[in-house]
Amino acid sequence: MPELSPTSVLSALANDDSLQAFVRDGRIELMPAKRSRRLRLLETVVTAFEPGARYSEEQVDGLLRVLHPDHCALRRYLVDEALLERDHGQYWRIGGPAGR
């Protein structure tokens, strides 16, 4: 399974004028209330996952813990917005920007 790294996600969020207000001290501190911004943030987060690769819940939680204090909520958002799929403790990317 590929390794998950928060570096590119945090860099992309910090460089996005519409999302950088939600990032403090190298973490996502607030989830945007506005759905369009929240979806943009989640689409950036999901780019950490390689399309077609499967990840254990432990791997997913390890990455999301670094990104956000409530990693369970962040994981739920990713699944609810059809960016990640899960089955029997395995997760894989099903959505997000093409080519990233």
Side-chain angles (χ1 to χ4, degrees), residues 18-37:
S18 68
L19 298 176
Q20 60 188 209
F22 303 101
V23 178
R24 288 191 184 82
D25 299 324
R27 297 186 85 186
I28 300 165
E29 288 297 323
L30 302 167
M31 288 301 290
K34 190 174 182 182
R35 185 173 183 267
S36 62
R37 281 196 184 149

Side-chain angles (χ1 to χ4, degrees), residues 23-65:
V23 178
R24 288 191 184 82
D25 299 324
R27 297 186 85 186
I28 300 165
E29 288 297 323
L30 302 167
M31 288 301 290
K34 190 174 182 182
R35 185 173 183 267
S36 62
R37 281 196 184 149
R38 186 173 57 247
L39 190 54
R40 186 176 174 120
L41 183 142
L42 295 171
E43 287 174 341
T44 302
V45 170
V46 82
T47 63
F49 299 90
E50 184 179 316
R54 295 206 175 228
Y55 301 90
S56 68
E57 187 166 335
E58 183 178 319
Q59 286 179 295
V60 173
D61 285 350
L63 170 73
L64 300 183
R65 262 188 207 102

Side-chain angles (χ1 to χ4, degrees), residues 46-93:
V46 82
T47 63
F49 299 90
E50 184 179 316
R54 295 206 175 228
Y55 301 90
S56 68
E57 187 166 335
E58 183 178 319
Q59 286 179 295
V60 173
D61 285 350
L63 170 73
L64 300 183
R65 262 188 207 102
V66 172
L67 296 176
H68 187 54
D70 188 351
H71 70 280
C72 294
L74 183 54
R75 187 182 63 220
R76 198 167 24 255
Y77 278 124
L78 290 165
V79 171
D80 288 350
E81 292 291 352
L83 296 168
L84 285 183
E85 183 65 64
R86 68 176 166 205
D87 187 41
H88 294 90
Q90 294 287 304
Y91 290 78
W92 59 96
R93 178 177 166 180

